[in-house]
Amino acid sequence: MPPRSDEFFAQDAVSLAAALIGCELYLDGVGGRIVETEAYRAGDAASHSFRGETLRNRAMFGPIGRAYVYRSYGLHWCLNIVCDGTEPGSAVLLRALEPLAGLDVMVRRRGLDEPRLLCAGPGRLTQALGIDAGHDGLAIDEPPFLFRQVAAPGPLGVGPRIGITKAIDEPWRFGLAGSRYLSRPLRNVFG
């Protein structure tokens, strides 16, 4: 029997980032398997919470298991899951999904029909699922979301986070080894 959601999301950001690989996430029936994540801790210079709570990052300091949604460079939305009740300001960025349901909706939203590219990257993922600022602060395991935990998804890849300029050497990016749906390949495989 999988742990209750509140216990699952109570993990520290790095542990949760690895544990989320293979879990499934849907929004109004559109979604799939999480295949890539990145961890961000409160004391992490690359984290939005590093300088403390603001209007933009308020969800990061709220209850665990909630969505933290923000606009990246004014271009696209990014979805994080708030975690670690002992270290407020921690969250895990969802970088890629393997599409499993609602592909026709994803294709229409993204304007392309290559399944590998529908959710390969944080901006693509949110566009395909229809995530925006209105989802900020919502529970990730309650409607309109559906979240399913899994036991062990298979071998994990690990590496440094990408698309950031601070704390770039932390090996806090995780992915399902061999998945064709990753935003970028991962080299180191374990598990």
Side-chain angles (χ1 to χ4, degrees):
M1 177 177 196
R4 290 181 19 224
S5 292
D6 55 346
E7 294 170 2
F8 183 73
F9 296 126
Q11 298 179 72
D12 69 87
V14 176
S15 298
L16 182 64
L20 283 168
I21 301 301
C23 293
E24 295 179 14
L25 181 67
Y26 301 88
L27 175 59
D28 294 325
V30 177
R33 181 175 298 113
I34 299 169
V35 296
E36 186 180 350
T37 60
E38 285 181 347
Y40 290 88
R41 290 182 165 164
D44 171 10
S47 176
H48 289 177
S49 66
F50 184 66
R51 299 198 189 283
E53 184 176 340
T54 65
L55 185 60
R56 178 188 189 203
N57 70 13
R58 181 167 289 151
M60 291 183 81
F61 293 89
I64 61 173
R66 301 289 176 134
Y68 165 50
V69 180
Y70 67 90
R71 176 88 74 182
S72 177
Y73 301 108
L75 299 174
H76 55 264
W77 298 105
C78 293
L79 172 64
N80 296 258
I81 299 176
V82 177
C83 62
D84 193 349
T86 64
E87 190 176 11
S90 297
V92 175
L93 173 66
L94 301 188
R95 288 198 52 85
L97 289 180
E98 175 184 346
L100 298 177
L103 271 70
D104 56 332
V105 175
M106 292 184 195
V107 165
R108 186 178 73 249
R109 288 174 176 159
R110 294 271 303 117
L112 57 87
D113 62 0
E114 170 54 48
R116 193 193 79 67
L117 298 177
L118 289 174
C119 301
R124 292 173 176 173
L125 183 157
T126 55
Q127 184 181 19
L129 271 60
I131 293 171
D132 61 25
H135 298 99
D136 188 45
L138 297 182
I140 211 79
D141 59 352
E142 295 177 7
F145 289 104
L146 172 63
F147 177 78
R148 292 185 185 138
Q149 295 178 48
V150 295
L156 294 180
V158 63
R161 298 172 295 186
I162 54 180
I164 58 175
T165 58
K166 298 175 184 170
I168 58 173
D169 295 328
E170 296 293 356
W172 293 351
R173 178 174 165 240
F174 297 89
L176 185 59
S179 173
R180 68 186 212 107
Y181 300 97
L182 298 175
S183 65
R184 292 191 199 158
L186 281 156
R187 293 188 189 105
N188 301 326
V189 176
F190 63 93

